[in-house]
Amino acid sequence: MGKRSRQRQKNQTPGRDRDSAGWGAGYADIVKENKLFEHYYKEQGLVPEGEFEQFMEAMREPLPATIRITGYKSHAKEILHCLKEKYFKDIQDLEIDGQKIEAPQALSWYPDEQAWHTNMSRKIIRKSPLLEKFHQFLVSETESGNISRQEAVSMIPPLLMKIEPHHKILDMCAAPGSKTAQLIEMLHADMDVPFPEGFVIANDVDNKRCYLLVHQAKRLNSPCIMVVNHDASCIPTLQIDSNGKKDILFYDRVLCDVPCSGDGTMRKNIDVWKKWTTSNSLHLHGLQLRIAVRGVEQLAVGGRMVYSTCSLNPVEDEAVIAALLEKSEGALELADSSADLPGLKWMPGVTSWKLMTKEGQWFSDWSVVPSSRHTQIRPTMFPPKDPEKLASMHLERCMRILPHHQNTGGFFVAVLVKKAPMPWNKRYPKSCQLAGLINKGRLLSHCKEKKLLFPGKIKNPLHCRPPPSKKMKLFGYKEDPFVFLTEDDPVFTTIQSFYDLSPDFPKLNVLTRTHEGKKRHLYMVSKELRNVLLNNSERMKVINTGVKVWSRNSDGEAFGCAFRLAQEGIYTLQPYIRSRIIQVSVEDIKVLLTQENPFLSKLEDDAHAQAKKLGMGSIVLKYIPNPNNLTEPQCPIQLCGWRGKTSIRAFVPRNERFHYLRMLGVEWHQPFQLLMFREIYITSHFLQL
């Protein structure tokens, strides 16, 4: 490894600066040219006449930096206010290294000005002293999960899903998780509801990428997300308890953002220029179709599935949709989403396309493909031949985003609505039904009636059943178990009395990650996710679920409870806590977040009086906005803290501290001990303060 690295350094171009390429840093030696790519897309006619040169010029330009404000509605509004009033104003009319810096512009089609783009490269943002504050803001807010650096076109699929808080959602190929984060935010549209009825099951086939997905999802601290690790093309069917009986879990929404050749990402993934060939699409088409088929199988009737790729190639786009519609025999319909994102420019899906091999040989119909190519080129890759059938599919309802129209990456998206069960689910009865018919000697008459074909004689009637499912193979790390607590678990005795939990607190939704020994952390999931977990432990590999609400603090036993509150789950848990709450003002929060262990007397009179009435131990610090004072934050703030003997302390991770201080108008740069604060846990020395 060392030799290879030294050799690579020796061969690098002298004076090459990694940052000089902006978004394409590290790829300066790659020529942004691919004759086969140009020839292929010219022939396909996807780009409007007279625009092909603009299209290619845009593909060679670096992708603009794009950010999306994440988090839940009231907090997102505060971040937006902070961005517009403080940072964007400072950027206006700046000129750096001879380049005029444009102030960030809101994406016209993204609701509520929650997404912005700018022509600034990474180098400029990182290196310019004039933009230092803005850079610190971006880094800090990204780490705390309040801002997501997400490509503009990547934001489109979740918006077209039309998520409601009660929806059960499957994200089939979810890593790295930016779209998953959008889905979670939409579930929590109402911050006053700690447990929405809906949930997101986010899946990825790559075990390592699943942990990246967990990192993204954890920033949103939701009890309604579960990360699982499966091949999306055969993701297991899950069961749930419904009115006392087992039922199949069908999803209200499915996001099918499939693996693709990625030629729409050439502006940021520069190596695609060198690696692009038509073989990539031909190899991926079958997998994409299998994943899409599995998605619609798991979709509830009346539900919506969004199929998307970051490829412009019809073989990966319209061909998959056409094959899916044909297989569905009318059970699926392409939805017209033309009015859903006003301001977004897109091209309608195409109804004719051709295939090309990497050698440059073209095929416009399956009938002319030589048999030697049949393993590589399949019939589903071509447009349907029947004009009537093709017209009924309404492929023009698909949306293709071209880079030069709004300075974005390339993208394809289609919205499918399920009108009826898939025909193969209706056509074949369940094995137990077949067994009953066999035993009654009515199998043949049933088959004739239903037009089912069973070739040859059935020697053993039970052979018509599907084979028993194989035991699931687990790859990657072995995860700790998910163990739900019972209502009478001894751990609740002190927690219940110490925090005076309300009677409707859902104890059954609390879980831990160990069968034996002391419970270190307690997590909460929604009732619906608990149902999924309890009924499918043998069917699926769960990587992570639940939001941490309590952590063991052995020294706390002396003060009445061994578990202190965790900041991650405070917004989920606080509605059920009826004691240990101190209502604080803006000035109190400033003190708590900028001083390590302020004395109780540093609080304003009202908060000081409340604190004096409480014994030592874990507390909730709660700020309630005053609608009559618009100079103060208009969103609720809840912090975990510790009431010591003579002092008080906020237990808040470093970047969250910066986040809340910015919302209060404080720009904090002092290195001081704050930078060394650990998110968790204090020594017994501090407990005694």
Side-chain angles (χ1 to χ4, degrees):
M1 289 292 288
K3 280 185 181 178
R4 286 181 62 194
S5 298
R6 284 194 293 273
Q7 187 65 33
R8 191 160 55 241
Q9 287 172 6
K10 196 178 4 175
N11 292 338
Q12 279 183 344
T13 308
R16 178 175 154 198
D17 179 2
R18 181 170 175 79
D19 285 321
S20 64
W23 284 107
Y27 292 108
D29 54 342
I30 293 179
V31 178
K32 296 178 182 178
E33 196 169 297
N34 187 310
K35 294 298 181 186
L36 193 66
F37 175 87
E38 291 190 43
H39 176 55
Y40 181 78
Y41 280 110
K42 264 184 185 173
E43 285 291 318
Q44 295 290 13
L46 303 178
V47 180
E49 196 173 341
E51 294 182 18
F52 197 81
E53 287 309 312
Q54 287 174 262
F55 166 74
M56 289 306 301
E57 282 172 24
M59 290 294 266
R60 294 185 180 100
E61 287 294 314
L63 195 64
T66 320
I67 59 171
R68 183 175 62 80
I69 299 169
T70 61
Y72 308 131
K73 279 194 173 175
S74 57
H75 278 247
K77 283 180 183 174
E78 290 297 323
I79 296 167
L80 176 61
H81 177 75
C82 182
L83 266 173
K84 289 169 79 171
E85 295 303 313
K86 185 173 287 187
Y87 298 100
F88 290 170
K89 279 187 176 179
D90 294 345
I91 293 171
Q92 282 177 354
D93 303 322
L94 271 183
E95 192 169 305
I96 298 172
D97 295 339
Q99 180 185 351
K100 190 172 188 294
I101 302 299
E102 296 173 9
Q105 300 292 317
L107 294 177
S108 60
W109 46 267
Y110 201 96
D112 304 323
E113 294 187 314
Q114 296 294 294
W116 295 73
H117 69 116
T118 171
N119 69 334
M120 289 183 284
S121 70
R122 277 182 180 172
K123 178 191 173 184
I124 288 174
I125 293 174
R126 285 166 52 196
K127 300 295 183 185
S128 170
L130 296 171
L131 296 171
E132 185 183 356
K133 280 186 184 179
F134 183 51
H135 179 241
Q136 287 176 345
F137 170 83
L138 287 179
V139 170
S140 176
E141 294 295 340
T142 300
E143 285 181 24
S144 59
N146 297 300
I147 276 180
S148 192
R149 299 191 213 186
Q150 181 180 356
E151 192 178 342
V153 289
S154 168
M155 305 173 192
I156 295 170
L159 294 176
L160 294 177
M161 291 176 77
K162 299 186 176 179
I163 303 295
E164 300 288 341
H166 63 275
H167 283 156
K168 300 172 183 67
I169 306 163
L170 173 64
D171 189 350
M172 300 188 77
C173 309
S178 53
K179 298 182 190 71
T180 310
Q182 278 179 277
L183 301 175
I184 297 169
E185 291 161 33
M186 292 168 181
L187 281 183
H188 288 274
D190 186 351
M191 270 191 78
D192 295 329
V193 180
F195 291 104
E197 287 181 41
F199 57 77
V200 178
I201 293 181
N203 174 69
D204 203 85
V205 68
D206 188 318
N207 184 258
K208 289 179 181 175
R209 279 167 62 88
C210 281
Y211 294 96
L212 182 60
L213 185 52
V214 168
H215 174 73
Q216 280 273 40
K218 273 197 167 185
R219 297 187 310 168
L220 291 167
N221 299 325
S222 170
C224 303
I225 170 72
M226 180 190 293
V227 176
V228 299
N229 179 202
H230 290 279
D231 178 349
S233 64
C234 51
I235 190 168
T237 299
L238 304 183
Q239 290 186 343
I240 50 172
D241 279 327
S242 179
N243 300 320
K245 62 177 184 176
K246 297 284 185 194
D247 214 343
I248 292 174
L249 170 62
F250 288 105
Y251 300 93
D252 302 295
R253 298 289 186 268
V254 174
L255 176 54
C256 187
D257 185 50
V258 295
C260 64
S261 61
D263 60 19
T265 69
M266 282 178 163
R267 298 182 69 177
K268 65 172 184 177
N269 297 325
I270 315 297
D271 58 338
V272 178
W273 283 98
K274 185 173 62 175
K275 295 176 180 176
W276 188 91
T277 168
T278 54
S279 297
N280 300 340
S281 298
L282 300 180
H283 292 153
L284 285 164
H285 171 89
L287 173 63
Q288 292 163 337
L289 182 54
R290 290 195 302 276
I291 293 174
V293 166
R294 191 67 186 125
V296 294
E297 284 177 340
Q298 303 231 2
L299 186 65
V301 173
R304 292 165 77 91
M305 183 176 92
V306 171
Y307 175 89
S308 61
T309 75
C310 46
S311 167
L312 299 172
N313 199 329
V315 175
E316 301 177 66
D317 299 340
E318 285 91 345
V320 174
I321 296 298
L324 193 57
L325 290 169
E326 191 158 7
K327 282 174 181 284
S328 80
E329 298 177 10
L332 296 174
E333 178 182 281
L334 265 174
D336 183 355
S337 302
S338 56
D340 289 349
L341 294 177
L344 178 67
K345 293 179 182 176
W346 52 276
M347 296 298 296
V350 295
T351 54
S352 67
W353 59 89
K354 300 180 289 185
L355 269 64
M356 185 177 77
T357 65
K358 63 181 178 182
E359 295 81 19
Q361 187 178 4
W362 288 94
F363 299 108
S364 56
D365 189 81
W366 167 250
S367 61
V368 299
V369 178
S371 57
S372 60
R373 295 272 189 185
H374 282 186
T375 53
Q376 184 189 23
I377 298 174
R378 304 300 303 150
T380 52
M381 297 177 181
F382 294 94
K385 292 176 77 172
D386 183 347
E388 208 171 294
K389 182 186 285 184
L390 185 60
S392 69
M393 289 180 175
H394 295 292
L395 292 179
E396 72 279 357
R397 292 178 179 173
C398 299
M399 306 165 78
R400 181 174 277 102
I401 290 89
L402 298 177
H404 64 293
H405 283 167
Q406 285 182 305
N407 200 10
T408 64
F411 205 71
F412 174 88
V413 63
V415 181
L416 293 149
V417 176
K418 190 170 180 179
K419 297 292 190 181
M422 301 312 290
W424 52 90
N425 293 138
K426 289 190 296 182
R427 195 172 290 139
Y428 303 104
K430 292 179 183 176
S431 59
C432 57
Q433 293 173 326
L434 278 177
L437 292 165
I438 292 163
N439 294 337
K440 294 174 184 175
R442 290 195 283 111
L443 177 63
L444 291 178
S445 60
H446 172 82
C447 293
K448 286 177 185 175
E449 180 190 337
K450 298 294 181 185
K451 296 182 181 174
L452 302 182
L453 298 177
F454 288 87
K457 290 186 178 179
I458 302 173
K459 292 178 182 176
N460 182 347
L462 295 181
H463 283 174
C464 66
R465 293 187 183 190
S469 55
K470 295 177 182 176
K471 189 172 181 182
M472 183 177 65
K473 288 184 180 178
L474 297 180
F475 300 96
Y477 305 105
K478 186 179 180 184
E479 297 297 327
D480 292 331
F482 295 85
V483 184
F484 282 97
L485 275 56
T486 58
E487 284 189 308
D488 57 356
D489 192 295
V491 80
F492 284 126
T493 308
T494 55
I495 288 177
Q496 178 79 52
S497 58
F498 191 74
Y499 296 103
D500 189 20
L501 298 180
S502 60
D504 61 340
F505 175 71
K507 292 180 182 177
L508 292 176
N509 294 10
V510 179
L511 62 86
T512 185
R513 299 297 302 271
T514 179
H515 280 293
E516 299 168 357
K518 284 189 172 182
K519 302 169 179 70
R520 289 181 56 217
H521 305 294
L522 300 180
Y523 305 84
M524 287 192 79
V525 296
S526 65
K527 181 179 71 174
E528 289 74 16
L529 268 189
R530 177 182 185 272
N531 190 348
V532 174
L533 266 172
L534 288 176
N535 286 287
N536 299 281
S537 58
E538 297 300 315
R539 287 186 185 84
M540 61 181 184
K541 182 180 179 184
V542 180
I543 300 295
N544 194 275
T545 191
V547 60
K548 189 196 298 179
V549 287
W550 281 292
S551 289
R552 179 174 287 278
N553 181 358
S554 300
D555 294 316
E557 289 181 18
F559 313 123
C561 185
F563 286 90
R564 70 165 188 83
L565 298 165
Q567 181 65 29
E568 296 97 312
I570 192 63
Y571 288 95
T572 298
L573 192 58
Q574 194 278 321
Y576 301 101
I577 296 175
R578 298 187 295 185
S579 72
R580 312 289 305 169
I581 299 172
I582 299 175
Q583 192 167 323
V584 292
S585 67
V586 166
E587 292 308 312
D588 291 329
I589 296 178
K590 288 178 183 177
V591 168
L592 289 161
L593 295 182
T594 57
Q595 298 183 32
E596 190 172 353
N597 272 301
F599 287 110
L600 295 175
S601 56
K602 290 286 186 77
L603 299 177
E604 293 191 336
D605 292 346
D606 186 26
H608 186 198
Q610 296 173 63
K612 282 167 65 177
K613 292 178 184 175
L614 297 178
M616 293 170 67
S618 191
I619 53 172
V620 179
L621 301 158
K622 186 173 183 178
Y623 164 76
I624 298 172
N626 178 3
N628 298 319
N629 186 354
L630 298 180
T631 61
E632 295 181 345
Q634 291 301 297
C635 65
I637 296 174
Q638 293 169 22
L639 310 175
C640 289
W642 186 271
R643 199 282 202 202
K645 195 172 184 179
T646 58
S647 66
I648 194 165
R649 180 177 182 173
F651 276 160
V652 182
R654 179 169 62 94
N655 282 311
E656 279 195 49
R657 285 176 179 262
F658 293 160
H659 163 67
Y660 287 123
L661 285 169
R662 282 191 197 97
M663 285 171 60
L664 302 175
V666 178
E667 197 65 47
W668 192 256
H669 292 300
Q670 296 180 36
F672 140 87
Q673 295 103 314
L674 182 62
L675 294 175
M676 304 302 293
F677 275 3
R678 283 185 284 180
E679 295 135 48
I680 38 184
Y681 327 133
I682 46 179
T683 61
S684 55
H685 165 71
F686 285 128
L687 289 173
Q688 301 302 324
L689 287 173

